[in-house]
Amino acid sequence: MILIFGGAYQGKLDYATQRFDLTENDIYRCREDIADVPKHGARLVNELDKWIFALVKAGHDSNGAVKRLVADNANLIVTCNDISCGVVPVDPIQRAWREAVGRALAMIARESEEVVRLFCGIPTKIK
Amino acid sequence: MRIFVSGGCKNGKSFYAQRLAKDAAGGRPLYYIATMRPVDAEDDERIARHRGERDGWGFITVEQPNRIEEVLQKCDIGGSFLLDSLTALLADEMFPHGGNVDEAAADRVIGGLRQVIEAVDNIVIVSDYIYGDAIIFDPLTELYRKSLAKADREAARLCDVVIEVAYAGITIHKGGELYEERV
């Protein structure tokens, strides 16, 4: 597994698309309102944080769901927005989401053979 | 050397950027491009504090809250420039007075910025890293974040050195060797 993370709009998907020569068919784009497991067979799952938001909002066990995704897809590339650097949200769902994304990123980073952070379009390999 | 500096709010970026710009001047004119158009007492206070922090550094202040390319007419392009900040520049272009929103502001800012970066030898451009929140913003705020990120990425691409500042610590994302060699 390869994890590519960074703040919003830092060029994560562009980086992955170029580096791994991906086409739109290779990419599963998560949405805040879809809690289903990302499409099987996609090479890249984009914006995992959005899927986690849907899971948290629906009251599902997001931690368990992310663990299963990692266990079932050893060769997956995952991009995720790092949402850990701001104010603690007042809204309880956004607060739970923020914590769930932090735990998911820590777990995926542990399981990944490579972790890349994007900053203003520039990649840095941190593992 | 063209240097792009970003990082969290109020974490010492401006002071660090001031030093970089001053070091690069070497006797040539040292320009501070002031980008904030004050709208209330809080802004006046912030500006007064920043002016106080620059006192005695030898900066020539140039007011340019929009149309950044116009500094090329006002200044000696052989000087050393500090543009602080891209954040304020985009805000002024995107939310001009009168309550309108200009959705094409990012492209205009990028166009002007490109002219400036290509024309000068020494510039330090400061921006704010506002991309790590766990808040679902209203569409307008989200558009502003997306637009600033676009301008940031372009500035980072055009500059020789890209630095992330976090209080006393800096991370050099681009141009590390060049940065180390500077005098």
Side-chain angles (χ1 to χ4, degrees):
Chain A
M1 185 161 262
I2 295 172
L3 172 63
I4 299 164
F5 78 98
Y9 312 117
Q10 298 302 298
K12 300 179 286 293
L13 184 58
D14 280 355
Y15 167 77
T17 301
Q18 275 184 19
R19 178 174 158 191
F20 300 106
D21 206 12
L22 302 175
T23 64
E24 197 52 42
N25 285 335
D26 298 321
I27 301 167
Y28 175 85
R29 293 174 188 267
C30 298
R31 283 174 42 173
E32 287 113 334
D33 57 349
I34 298 181
D36 302 345
V37 176
K39 185 181 81 179
H40 195 71
R43 290 175 65 197
L44 179 143
V45 170
N46 192 44
E47 296 187 307
L48 194 76
D49 50 292
K50 290 191 172 165
W51 180 47
I52 295 174
F53 184 83
L55 290 167
V56 169
K57 199 173 174 200
H60 297 330
D61 166 23
S62 69
N63 217 10
V66 172
K67 259 186 195 150
R68 278 193 298 281
L69 180 79
V70 172
D72 294 347
N73 299 277
N75 295 318
L76 200 63
I77 305 159
V78 172
T79 77
C80 189
N81 290 301
D82 178 11
I83 55 166
S84 66
C85 305
V87 180
V88 177
V90 174
D91 177 67
I93 289 179
Q94 291 183 20
R95 205 156 58 230
W97 170 53
R98 182 175 182 259
E99 291 187 13
V101 171
R103 277 194 295 271
L105 277 178
M107 192 267 288
I108 297 171
R110 228 171 18 242
E111 299 297 323
S112 293
E113 59 263 28
E114 187 181 337
V115 179
V116 178
R117 179 188 177 223
L118 264 286
F119 180 82
C120 297
I122 301 167
T124 301
K125 196 168 172 172
I126 62 171
K127 176 180 171 182
Chain B
M1 193 177 303
R2 286 87 48 92
I3 305 177
F4 178 74
V5 175
S6 189
C9 177
K10 303 283 163 278
N11 75 358
K13 299 187 297 296
S14 289
F15 186 74
Y16 182 74
Q18 258 172 246
R19 272 188 18 216
L20 289 175
K22 168 94 175 143
D23 289 351
R28 292 180 295 262
L30 177 60
Y31 297 106
Y32 180 85
I33 311 301
T35 50
M36 180 182 268
R37 192 200 291 277
V39 295
D40 57 17
E42 199 182 312
D43 287 345
D44 290 338
E45 214 174 280
R46 185 173 297 123
I47 287 171
R49 200 186 61 237
H50 280 194
R51 275 185 187 281
E53 283 167 5
R54 293 198 304 275
D55 242 8
W57 286 62
F59 278 102
I60 303 160
T61 299
V62 182
E63 301 285 344
Q64 197 70 51
N66 49 40
R67 297 190 304 274
I68 189 61
E69 62 280 6
E70 289 181 3
V71 300
L72 297 175
Q73 269 80 58
K74 296 178 181 175
C75 307
D76 168 2
I77 61 167
S80 176
F81 294 79
L82 172 57
L83 195 172
D84 191 355
S85 63
L86 205 47
T87 321
L89 195 63
L90 178 68
D92 195 88
E93 292 266 8
M94 199 163 161
F95 309 110
H97 292 262
N100 307 321
V101 176
D102 183 349
E103 299 194 1
D107 290 330
R108 214 172 43 252
V109 169
I110 288 169
L113 204 58
R114 192 177 291 143
Q115 289 180 46
V116 173
I117 296 174
E118 283 169 0
V120 303
D121 297 325
N122 291 297
I123 187 166
V124 181
I125 299 168
V126 180
S127 192
D128 291 272
Y129 192 83
I130 54 166
Y131 314 110
D133 267 291
I135 308 276
I136 296 172
F137 291 101
D138 60 281
L140 198 56
T141 308
E142 199 56 40
L143 177 68
Y144 176 74
R145 292 209 310 161
K146 190 174 183 174
S147 301
L148 184 63
K150 193 176 178 188
D152 283 353
R153 292 199 307 272
E154 185 64 9
R157 193 178 70 77
L158 294 168
C159 283
D160 309 304
V161 175
V162 175
I163 300 174
E164 181 180 10
V165 177
Y167 303 98
I170 64 161
T171 306
I172 300 174
H173 289 277
K174 177 183 175 183
E177 285 175 23
L178 205 59
Y179 177 81
E180 298 301 335
E181 283 166 12
R182 84 195 193 291
V183 274

